[in-house]
Amino acid sequence: MSKLTKRILIVGLGLIGGSLAKALRSRTICQTVIGYDRDQAELDTGLRLGVIDEAATDLMGAVENADVVVLAVPVKAMETVLAEMLPALRSETIITDVGSVKGNVVRAAEQLFGAVPENFIPGHPIAGSEKSGVAAADETLFEHHKVIITPLPESNPAAVTLIARLWQAVGAEVLQMDVERHDEVLAATSHLPHLLAFSLVDTLAQEQDRTDIFRYAAGGFRDFTRIAASDPTMWHDVGLANKSAILQKIDEFTEGLAQLRDAIETEDGRTMLGIFTRAKAAREHFSKILSGSAYSQVMNIKETTFHVQPGGQANGTIRVPGDKSISHRSIMLGSLASGVTEVSGFLEGEDSLATLQAFRDMGVVIEGPHQGEVKIYGVGVDGLQQAPGPLYVGNSGTTIRLLSGLLAGQKFDSELSGDASLSKRPMERVAKPLRLMGAVVDTGENGCPPVKIKGGQALKGMHYDMPIASAQVKSCVMLAGLYAEGETSVTEPAPTRDHTERMLRGFGYQVEKQDNKVTLSGGGSLQAGKIDVPADISSATFFMVAAAITPGSDITLEHVGINPTRIGVVNILKLMGTNIELLNEREVGGEPVADIRVRYAPLKGINIPEDQVPLAIDEFPALFIAAVCAEGETVLTGAEELRVKESDRIQAMVDGLKILGADIEGTPDGAIIRGSEMGGGVIESHDDHRIAMSFTIAGLRAKGEIEIRECANVSTSFPNFVELAQQVGINVRKEEL
Ligand code: NAP
């Protein structure tokens, strides 16, 4: 690369100074790297190890000839060194430092020079180790690490750019911050943990039986105290140089520790669990919080392809993952209930985890999720606390819209924000009715997130005639209604999912339903209970269709939610001749549930009744496969909404099925599908999980291998789809690149 500058002088050839010198040299970023150290032996080592080009023993002479000077001495020595080199400094020389505290260096420069010179650009690499001295110099130390530079308003922009480029050139990511903010942030993230480690080891080392303590010290002690082996001089200096910010953090920590001590003394398990579960969640999701993404495992961004061999079976008894809508609501209502709600079958998807985290942020103690089990220590309808910052809900539209209603009734202010795609979705449809109830709600640009809600408003019940059929809007208004004076009712222009009203009833809250109108009164309470989240009928659909199209099949899907607003697929498959039985019908937390047994019977084509279309809207990709395997013609109309789902599902299915040789025609609002044979081929799923899963089951009746591209999204809605498909006898294999 072309050189950034000519002569860089590193003052203090220790770990950081030496590592920077070595990295600059190895990447030939400047013409000459000169090292200055008061210890000749360190300079000799630096030369011998190839860390520097030249060693300087005369600081003044070296400074006079340098274009850039980097101060890499302990924080408290910065002032002395600056004073020493002052007479030799030229005004155009650019100075920077690597000190772990910035306020004291800036103050020292101010005192010495009268004002901070425009070419002095303070910096701090967030990289290091417990080692010290030039022998430990590592040219890769700063690669993929952050360096914070703290320029001042009077700093010379060209000098800021040069220092930033210098760090970038050694592989670092450069950030800018105010001096005070830097010292506050570092007090919390670096200084406090180091001081705690020193103090813990020192305290234990003074105990009588210390030999035993250290002999039996396990991994936890070793991990926690590794940094107590850091350089004492450096930390002495940091402690003094950042005194006020560190003292504040020590006080906050002492308060937190006292709270934990108190909880242990009084055997207050709930407070203890609260501290531990919040900490565990925060620790696990650090990187996601930092990257601004939501809360589940890192999304599978690998290129995923499914390979399906022809033939196979669909037999056995399985349980598919829990319903997403109900998973969300179990956390919300469980948090508002009195008592402990135990949830099983919770869908551990990104969206429902965002809801869970939001309630943790509002002070609710929630254990889990662990294999679908969640325990919520309800705080009562009025027990939520203000979150420490905005509630980040990732990509979850359900969370942001339902929470808007719930938060409108709280005593505290709230802000809800989401990822880039959620930030483009309309929020006024919930803000408007909430304002009619007396809530103070602001939305961002174009009525999109963030949603800002002012607390402490007295809400009034109202009747709301919903202009569009939306379960989210209806739920939002009803949740605000819990906090409103008098009755709140909503009428819907067409039936929408009714999970909220059902679960409210399941928690003992009175909700009236008459025709298309739901009504509740504010001021009631919810009683905790057990919720076994029904399996998602949309996920179960793939296995229902698998059994329906495969001669000899007999499959039972356990504990599936058969909410009347979701049951279209069962009705349609029955009309086509499938042998479906709903066994063991029961009610769980207000939701109807059954085990669904499907056995093969020859299928016939039908005209799908339009009144069933909204009740099966997510199920059509799989139903298209059933239609290809039926005798005669199946006609779907009134389903234009399919064209604006995760993909244009009509087009994606028509294109894919044609590749397999099926007889299908797309229409603007549906398709005409004739019973036909399917061969093999390569299918694009367009990143749409339902398209990918539908073509997987097509393999049961196809004559050749089907390769399905872009299947990574399957794992977000149905994490164990491939495993369950293999378990029932489908010959599918997942390939990740
Ligand atoms: P180090 O390995 O101990 O090196 C310190 C260097 O400063 C040595 O060359 C030492 O000279 C010199 N020095 C010490 N006191 C001096 C004085 N009064 N006058 C002149 N020179 C003096 O320490 P380091 O880890 O590189 O730390 C250097 C700076 O980097 C510190 O400001 C520290 O806050 C910052 N920093 C450290 C880390 C880390 O993890 N270590 C991370 C980020 C930033 P001798 O050879 O004579 O001892």
Side-chain angles (χ1 to χ4, degrees):
M1 74 183 281
S2 68
K3 308 224 182 334
L4 283 177
T5 185
K6 289 184 183 150
R7 293 172 66 82
I8 299 186
L9 169 68
I10 311 278
V11 180
L13 207 55
L15 170 75
I16 300 293
S19 299
L20 178 61
K22 206 169 174 186
L24 291 169
R25 263 202 95 204
S26 69
R27 299 174 192 221
T28 54
I29 289 161
C30 59
Q31 249 168 31
T32 316
V33 181
I34 307 119
Y36 167 81
D37 202 282
R38 50 183 194 176
D39 184 345
Q40 183 63 45
E42 288 290 278
L43 288 175
D44 293 343
T45 310
L47 281 172
R48 184 167 45 80
L49 297 178
V51 171
I52 46 174
D53 297 299
E54 290 174 17
T57 45
D58 163 28
L59 179 62
M60 304 282 268
V63 168
E64 224 164 355
N65 290 317
D67 300 298
V68 176
V69 178
V70 182
L71 302 177
V73 297
V75 165
K76 290 297 264 184
M78 295 282 179
E79 188 175 352
T80 337
V81 174
L82 263 178
E84 232 178 287
M85 61 192 235
L86 184 62
L89 210 58
R90 290 174 292 125
S91 63
E92 64 272 24
T93 307
I94 294 173
I95 318 165
T96 187
D97 77 308
V98 298
S100 306
V101 182
K102 298 277 52 91
N104 75 307
V105 185
V106 170
R107 280 189 297 275
E110 233 160 23
Q111 279 188 350
L112 278 171
F113 296 91
V116 181
E118 60 162 11
N119 282 337
F120 180 28
I121 314 299
H124 174 204
I126 313 293
S129 79
E130 322 72 81
K131 298 183 188 142
S132 48
V134 71
D138 171 4
E139 69 195 61
T140 64
L141 189 66
F142 309 109
E143 281 176 15
H144 312 299
H145 280 79
K146 295 189 168 59
V147 171
I148 302 173
I149 54 174
T150 60
L152 301 158
E154 55 271 31
S155 295
N156 172 4
V160 176
T161 308
L162 185 109
I163 296 302
R165 287 182 61 197
L166 208 123
W167 283 113
Q168 283 160 350
V170 297
E173 181 196 342
V174 178
L175 310 173
Q176 288 199 21
M177 231 183 238
D178 280 354
V179 172
E180 292 76 38
R181 180 85 189 122
H182 169 276
D183 287 359
E184 247 173 59
V185 169
L186 270 290
T189 54
S190 167
H191 306 169
L192 181 67
H194 276 87
L195 301 178
L196 292 182
F198 282 125
S199 172
L200 174 66
V201 177
D202 181 49
T203 307
L204 297 186
Q206 285 176 35
E207 293 195 0
Q208 290 281 323
D209 52 355
R210 63 182 191 172
T211 327
D212 270 354
I213 289 181
F214 288 116
R215 180 176 301 141
Y216 300 120
F221 178 82
R222 236 174 283 137
D223 290 349
F224 186 81
T225 58
R226 176 182 60 79
I227 50 180
S230 301
D231 182 39
T233 315
M234 169 176 161
W235 287 99
H236 159 271
D237 284 14
V238 169
L240 295 178
N242 201 19
K243 180 170 152 184
S244 66
I246 289 176
L247 287 182
Q248 196 186 330
K249 289 299 157 204
I250 291 182
D251 289 349
E252 284 168 23
F253 175 74
T254 309
E255 212 176 289
L257 194 61
Q259 201 194 1
L260 180 56
R261 187 194 182 283
D262 200 43
I264 295 172
E265 188 170 43
T266 57
E267 298 182 17
D268 176 357
R270 183 163 165 170
T271 299
M272 289 168 65
L273 276 172
I275 295 169
F276 301 154
T277 48
R278 279 194 303 275
K280 178 173 157 63
R283 183 68 183 81
E284 281 172 0
H285 302 308
F286 248 152
S287 52
K288 280 147 227 155
I289 290 167
L290 281 178
S291 64
S293 72
Y295 300 95
S296 71
Q297 294 302 309
V298 180
M299 238 181 72
N300 190 354
I301 42 165
K302 287 182 199 156
E303 203 43 66
T304 305
T305 304
F306 289 175
H307 298 271
V308 194
Q309 297 305 319
Q313 298 167 358
N315 281 319
T317 299
I318 55 170
R319 179 162 170 170
V320 301
D323 185 285
K324 185 162 91 169
S325 308
I326 299 176
S327 296
H328 278 298
R329 287 156 175 87
S330 68
I331 299 294
M332 296 182 188
L333 300 191
S335 296
L336 297 183
S338 308
V340 178
T341 294
E342 288 180 26
V343 183
S344 52
F346 179 80
L347 174 70
E348 295 181 35
E350 182 125 347
D351 288 5
S352 27
L353 287 172
T355 294
L356 191 150
Q357 185 61 32
F359 280 87
R360 267 194 186 131
D361 289 347
M362 291 191 283
V364 183
V365 175
I366 305 175
E367 283 181 70
H370 178 66
Q371 297 186 338
E373 310 260 323
V374 181
K375 201 168 178 182
I376 308 159
Y377 295 77
V379 293
V381 175
D382 294 313
L384 295 178
Q385 294 163 17
Q386 184 163 30
L391 292 164
Y392 178 77
V393 303
N395 187 29
S396 179
T398 305
T399 313
I400 198 164
R401 296 210 176 99
L402 270 59
L403 275 187
S404 296
L406 194 81
L407 294 173
Q410 305 301 321
K411 294 194 177 59
F412 49 83
D413 297 351
S414 313
E415 182 173 337
L416 292 155
S417 68
D419 69 5
S421 119
L422 187 72
S423 299
K424 293 195 193 105
R425 308 226 318 247
M427 294 299 141
E428 277 299 313
R429 59 179 61 183
V430 292
K432 276 190 187 139
L434 290 174
R435 287 186 199 119
L436 294 175
M437 297 176 80
V440 178
V441 184
D442 278 333
T443 55
E445 220 174 297
N446 302 322
C448 296
V451 179
K452 292 183 183 163
I453 300 158
K454 187 127 192 64
Q457 310 300 315
L459 303 188
K460 286 228 170 342
M462 64 152 181
H463 173 69
Y464 189 57
D465 219 345
M466 268 199 303
I468 42 160
S470 159
Q472 290 179 352
V473 176
K474 176 175 64 172
S475 301
C476 164
V477 172
M478 291 175 70
L479 290 173
L482 297 178
Y483 296 90
E485 192 193 320
E487 257 184 26
T488 300
S489 57
V490 182
T491 45
E492 47 191 5
T496 63
R497 295 182 183 187
D498 59 356
H499 302 298
T500 305
E501 41 272 48
R502 282 176 180 273
M503 198 182 282
L504 277 167
R505 281 199 213 107
F507 275 88
Y509 207 99
Q510 211 179 339
V511 182
E512 307 296 334
K513 174 142 191 168
Q514 229 184 4
D515 304 326
N516 60 345
K517 177 175 172 190
V518 282
T519 309
L520 57 70
S521 296
S525 63
L526 288 89
Q527 294 311 316
K530 278 192 187 328
I531 299 179
D532 190 359
V533 176
D536 191 334
I537 194 166
S538 297
S539 300
T541 292
F542 301 103
F543 293 98
M544 287 191 232
V545 172
I549 62 172
T550 313
S553 294
D554 183 353
I555 212 166
T556 301
L557 295 147
E558 291 179 318
H559 199 76
V560 182
I562 50 163
N563 185 304
T565 58
R566 307 278 299 277
I567 197 80
V569 60
V570 172
N571 299 336
I572 294 168
L573 281 175
K574 273 187 180 162
L575 288 172
M576 295 176 78
T578 309
N579 181 350
I580 298 192
E581 285 173 276
L582 300 186
L583 306 170
N584 204 2
E585 281 188 55
R586 56 213 182 263
E587 189 149 302
V588 179
E591 289 282 343
V593 166
D595 300 331
I596 302 181
R597 183 175 184 193
V598 187
R599 278 171 291 176
Y600 173 78
L603 296 177
K604 57 179 192 303
I606 58 166
N607 287 331
I608 296 175
E610 281 202 13
D611 65 350
Q612 293 299 313
V613 171
L615 312 183
I617 196 72
D618 287 334
E619 282 55 273
F620 283 108
L623 285 169
F624 276 30
I625 305 294
V628 174
C629 300
E631 200 183 313
E633 189 174 87
T634 297
V635 181
L636 170 66
T637 52
E640 51 276 84
E641 200 193 326
L642 283 178
R643 293 204 179 269
V644 291
K645 290 281 183 180
E646 281 88 329
S647 66
D648 175 344
R649 285 189 171 153
I650 294 176
Q651 201 58 47
M653 289 306 296
V654 168
D655 292 347
L657 282 169
K658 279 192 172 154
I659 288 170
L660 301 187
D663 185 353
I664 178 167
E665 269 167 59
T667 61
D669 66 342
I672 301 164
I673 308 159
R674 291 174 204 93
S676 40
E677 295 226 319
M678 288 182 286
V682 178
I683 307 291
E684 298 297 333
S685 78
H686 303 282
D687 268 333
D688 185 335
H689 53 137
R690 295 203 198 281
I691 304 292
M693 291 188 273
S694 299
F695 280 102
T696 306
I697 52 171
L700 287 162
R701 286 285 294 269
K703 297 271 184 286
E705 181 184 337
I706 302 178
E707 181 181 317
I708 310 158
R709 303 253 171 94
E710 299 178 324
C711 299
N713 277 341
V714 169
S715 62
T716 58
S717 81
F718 196 156
N720 59 344
F721 171 72
V722 170
E723 290 74 10
L724 283 183
Q726 288 166 343
Q727 189 183 321
V728 302
I730 299 173
N731 300 319
V732 56
R733 177 173 64 81
K734 177 158 79 175
E735 181 189 29
E736 284 176 342
L737 295 172

